[in-house]
Amino acid sequence: ATLIASSSLCLFLWNKKDHMRRIWNAFFGRRSLRLLALQNNNDKETKNGEVKEEGKMYVSGLFIYPVKSLQSLPLTSTKLDSFGFENDRRIMIVRPVPSRTYSYDPNAATHRFVTQRQCPILATISTNIQEEDPKEVGMKRKENTITLSLECEGKTLQVDISPKTIAQKQSSPSSIIKASLWDDVVTVVDLGDEIAAFVSNIMQRDPLAFKEDLKSFQYVRVVSMLSNNMNNNAQLQHSRPINASYIPPSAFTKWKCSVPDTTLNDGFPILVTSESSLDDVNERLKKNGKDEIEMNRFRPNLVIRGGAKSNMKPFEEDTWKAIQINNVILYIVKGCPRCKQSCTNQETGERYEEPLEILSTFRRMNKNGGDDVYFGQNVVFIGLVDENQKGGNLIRVGDEVKVLTRGKAVWDMEEVQAE
């Protein structure tokens, strides 16, 4: 019996050898980064007990995008969850697929995402998130209330996007939508007629949109990721894995060791840029007699600035790998190819030739000689240095940024065809 049990165990482990290897690599990958971070904490260069501020790099900006392709929401601090920055790109705008095949396929997309690429006027809609903790205001209910506010041309709309409200909406089958987002098909929930009409009325006035697009904008819907309050029904859980080709073993989920999911972004949860890289771009623009641009053109989540004595170079972030901010470890996976959305003024919706033209002169990085140009780096969340630290998943403006490991820059394996 013992021999049979041992043989069965060996057979089971053999069949699971690839998965076991991934667990092993993920565990030791995270462990080695935590040890590096702890060593880094102990090796701070100090003078009279204080860190030398001028030699540091630090967080100079934090941004989320509550609705994909609408204006950014600047923050002084943010928490990270399994998807990235809290409340970042959990909502998007979709329109009906123009030529849907009506054969029975429950996984076929009926709608497709819409961004500033097709509708630049979306950049004129500002967003805000208000979260009310019942404990702080003396209320008896347990759930937080999360309110999304949209504003454009003096008109304002508020929508309850609390998890409980989303769960109630998705209990109705007619509210569930299958939407294509690049090559993925995601299951999302319709947030209702009021917010759809608010956004649609603005989109239909876009002077830069094509006529055929303007017609479809009257049918847009605003949709949200599904709530997790659905009794773990697998068909209703948000599942959109990050491209495993680019992520390190340490980024795989802790227990299942699976590829982590991301939200309704373009593929990766966090985008990092640096002020030194933007300065370099603006210097080149000025030399060519063109206007400087602002960082918001690149729609980053995390902006990094080097102190006066940090010697931070333009595009140095290309070769960073693991970085530590406060108690958080992030991993830079690949460069971010830029599209015409970076040529859109993020307040007026006006569109220009830059920065794509100037970037094409020195930031074409694909080995295959494609037209993609790069600014910023895509990032995944690895974990916490100290998992027992209360509030340890918090990043704040002013926090020091430490580079734990460096390596060769990574670019897209294939040329990206932006819509």
Side-chain angles (χ1 to χ4, degrees), residues 313-328:
K313 299 176 182 177
F315 302 102
E316 182 181 325
E317 62 273 18
D318 289 352
T319 56
W320 296 348
K321 292 304 172 189
I323 61 175
Q324 177 191 355
I325 304 174
N326 196 8
N327 191 46
V328 172

Side-chain angles (χ1 to χ4, degrees), residues 231-378:
N231 300 320
N232 295 320
N233 186 333
Q235 294 180 341
L236 292 178
Q237 296 303 310
H238 180 80
S239 178
R240 187 177 174 233
I242 297 171
N243 189 333
S245 302
Y246 295 103
I247 64 173
S250 54
F252 283 76
T253 58
K254 186 174 181 180
W255 300 114
K256 292 184 178 180
C257 205
S258 58
V259 178
D261 289 317
T262 188
T263 60
L264 304 176
N265 51 55
D266 279 349
F268 293 90
I270 302 169
L271 180 68
V272 169
T273 61
S274 75
E275 292 191 13
S276 59
S277 298
L278 180 65
D279 291 342
D280 183 84
V281 170
N282 280 330
E283 283 297 320
R284 294 170 187 268
L285 287 171
K286 285 193 293 184
K287 288 179 181 179
N288 284 271
K290 298 182 178 181
D291 294 334
E292 297 183 19
I293 61 172
E294 296 183 15
M295 184 65 86
N296 63 11
R297 292 282 196 92
F298 299 106
R299 299 176 65 81
N301 294 108
L302 175 62
V303 182
I304 297 173
R305 176 188 295 173
K309 295 183 180 180
S310 67
N311 297 319
M312 186 176 180
K313 299 176 182 177
F315 302 102
E316 182 181 325
E317 62 273 18
D318 289 352
T319 56
W320 296 348
K321 292 304 172 189
I323 61 175
Q324 177 191 355
I325 304 174
N326 196 8
N327 191 46
V328 172
I329 299 176
L330 304 173
Y331 199 95
I332 290 174
V333 291
K334 64 174 283 295
C336 180
R338 310 314 310 202
C339 65
K340 58 187 176 183
Q341 186 161 314
S342 63
C343 296
T344 305
N345 184 299
Q346 292 300 302
E347 294 179 359
T348 67
E350 297 172 285
R351 185 163 282 170
Y352 305 94
E353 300 296 327
E354 296 296 355
L356 289 185
E357 281 195 356
I358 200 71
L359 288 173
S360 68
T361 64
F362 74 110
R363 291 292 292 176
R364 282 183 175 168
M365 314 304 288
N366 291 81
K367 290 182 179 180
N368 59 11
D371 292 331
D372 291 339
V373 297
Y374 289 81
F375 188 98
Q377 291 288 325
N378 289 302

Side-chain angles (χ1 to χ4, degrees), residues 110-111 165-178 187-193 221-224 226 236:
T110 60
H111 292 70
T165 302
I166 300 298
Q168 291 171 347
K169 288 182 180 292
Q170 69 196 51
S171 64
S172 171
S174 61
S175 295
I176 300 298
I177 290 176
K178 292 282 188 179
T187 304
V188 287
V189 60
D190 195 327
L191 292 180
D193 293 337
R221 308 301 295 179
V222 181
V223 298
S224 167
L226 295 166
L236 292 178

Side-chain angles (χ1 to χ4, degrees), residues 11 21 28 42 46-47 53 59 64 69 72 95 97 144 155 174 216 231 235 247 254 275 287 311 352 364 367 372 384:
L11 182 61
R21 186 184 299 113
F28 281 98
N42 295 330
T46 62
K47 183 179 181 180
E53 299 290 328
V59 176
I64 60 171
S69 240
S72 66
R95 58 180 169 180
V97 175
N144 285 13
K155 297 180 180 179
S174 61
S216 70
N231 300 320
Q235 294 180 341
I247 64 173
K254 186 174 181 180
E275 292 191 13
K287 288 179 181 179
N311 297 319
Y352 305 94
R364 282 183 175 168
K367 290 182 179 180
D372 291 339
L384 305 177

